[in-house]
Amino acid sequence: FPYTTLFRSFIRNNLSDAAFIDENATIAVLNATNHPGLAQYASRMITNMGGTVVFMGNTESLQGKSLVVDIS
């Protein structure tokens, strides 16, 4: 995609969240669906918004709902 850098820059400049950045959380993104690439897509969005993704991958089994876990 020829405009990837421009798109990432737009997200970083227009959709970043100061509170999100200030929290300085490290984030793991796991795909528990049968839709390949979701963890990678979500990780890119989180990174472009100022977050720090430290792990990205798939779960061993499918899950019926999303889950957010705060381990701080």
Side-chain angles (χ1 to χ4, degrees):
F1 186 67
Y3 300 106
T4 300
T5 302
L6 184 62
F7 179 69
R8 288 180 182 166
S9 178
F10 173 82
I11 290 177
R12 189 175 300 112
N13 294 330
N14 295 288
L15 300 178
S16 64
D17 182 341
F20 184 65
I21 295 168
D22 289 344
E23 185 176 346
N24 201 30
T26 53
I27 302 163
V29 179
L30 299 172
N31 182 5
T33 73
N34 58 357
H35 302 286
L38 276 180
Q40 182 179 16
Y41 176 77
S43 295
R44 239 186 266 137
M45 293 299 292
I46 290 167
T47 300
N48 289 335
M49 291 173 63
T52 303
V53 176
V54 295
F55 181 81
M56 171 186 60
N58 298 310
T59 60
E60 293 181 6
S61 61
L62 297 179
Q63 302 295 314
K65 61 182 178 178
S66 296
L67 178 64
V68 176
V69 179
D70 180 356
I71 59 171
S72 58

